[in-house]
Amino acid sequence: MTPSIERILYTEDQIRARIAEVGREISHRFRGRPLKLVTVLKGGVFFLTALAQAIEIPVKVDFLAISSFAGHNPGLVRISKDLDDPIEGEDLLLVEDIVDTGLTSRYLLRTLAARGPNSLAICTLLDRTSRRLVQVPVEFRCFEIDDAFVVGFGLDYKQLFRNRTDLVVIRRDNSEARGQ
Ligand code: IMP
């Protein structure tokens, strides 16, 4: 059954205004340095697109995909589609839809760091620090949120709702686990 919308967390205008601010911050931080934005398919694509357009310096983009080992530890993931190009010597921004427990981001940071980028930082649309299990350095964040399950702007529930232009809280069965 498709879950119902409980409340709107952020409207499209609020999201785009905040992304514009963060985009300016990133532009100042990396001015004069070629920046590469990297995100995880599929959820991160929506935020990456909006963020890239809010950044005032030229950027490159690249994508990877991960899959989790169902039934195993949460956060135990592997790369199912790798980046197209090497990242050695590059300034890299890992663009996340949400950092929740931090396990996925930690895995990605470690994997990418091993490839020798010049710098590596995280920019996330949503940050839910209350559920963090491992510490990860989040340099840029649009919104800090509480423990409600959120969809829209790339975030999904069973692959649905990614195309919503706002961020909303849905009502769903508590027994259901958070998925990719
Ligand atoms: P983490 O490894 O626990 O930080 O989880 C990160 C991933 O869990 C995100 O990239 C999302 O795919 C998923 N996730 C966590 N919370 C939510 C949510 O509220 N809505 C949709 N997806 C979520």
Side-chain angles (χ1 to χ4, degrees):
M1 205 176 74
T2 308
S4 54
I5 308 301
E6 194 176 291
R7 63 192 156 96
I8 294 178
L9 202 55
Y10 295 104
T11 64
E12 181 177 2
D13 284 352
Q14 289 172 318
I15 298 166
R16 294 205 182 269
R18 182 66 190 127
I19 292 177
E21 286 176 359
V22 173
R24 274 194 295 274
E25 255 183 77
I26 292 169
S27 310
H28 288 127
R29 181 80 62 87
F30 291 94
R31 199 166 294 283
R33 293 152 67 188
L35 178 64
K36 182 180 276 185
L37 308 181
V38 163
T39 198
V40 182
L41 300 169
K42 310 169 182 121
V45 171
F46 296 77
F47 176 44
L48 179 140
T49 305
L51 182 68
Q53 290 176 339
I55 293 176
E56 296 148 357
I57 56 172
V59 295
K60 298 179 188 173
V61 299
D62 206 346
F63 304 92
L64 53 80
I66 55 177
S67 55
S68 45
F69 297 96
H72 291 72
N73 289 346
L76 191 61
V77 293
R78 67 178 176 86
I79 292 181
S80 53
K81 181 234 171 279
D82 210 338
L83 298 174
D84 286 339
D85 298 311
I87 55 170
E88 194 179 345
E90 295 200 285
D91 290 302
L92 214 71
L93 193 59
L94 177 59
V95 177
E96 296 269 29
D97 51 2
I98 181 167
V99 181
D100 187 29
T101 63
L103 290 166
T104 310
S105 305
R106 184 178 66 171
Y107 167 80
L108 291 171
L109 278 182
R110 285 181 174 172
T111 305
L112 296 173
R115 300 180 186 185
N118 181 49
S119 70
L120 183 52
I122 294 181
C123 175
T124 189
L125 176 62
L126 301 177
D127 195 1
R128 195 191 279 122
T129 51
S130 61
R131 278 177 41 90
R132 205 66 108 243
L133 293 179
V134 293
Q135 288 314 308
V136 283
V138 175
E139 292 228 18
F140 306 95
R141 90 166 48 83
C142 291
F143 304 107
E144 163 89 45
I145 61 161
D146 63 17
D147 198 18
F149 194 85
V150 177
V151 297
F153 224 88
L155 288 118
D156 74 303
Y157 170 77
K158 296 186 176 175
Q159 301 300 328
L160 290 172
F161 300 117
R162 293 193 199 276
N163 59 320
R164 284 193 72 102
T165 54
D166 54 4
L167 284 161
V168 298
V169 174
I170 56 168
R171 229 176 258 116
R172 56 173 210 148
D173 182 348
N174 280 339
S175 63
E176 289 176 278
R178 289 181 162 85
Q180 273 310 123

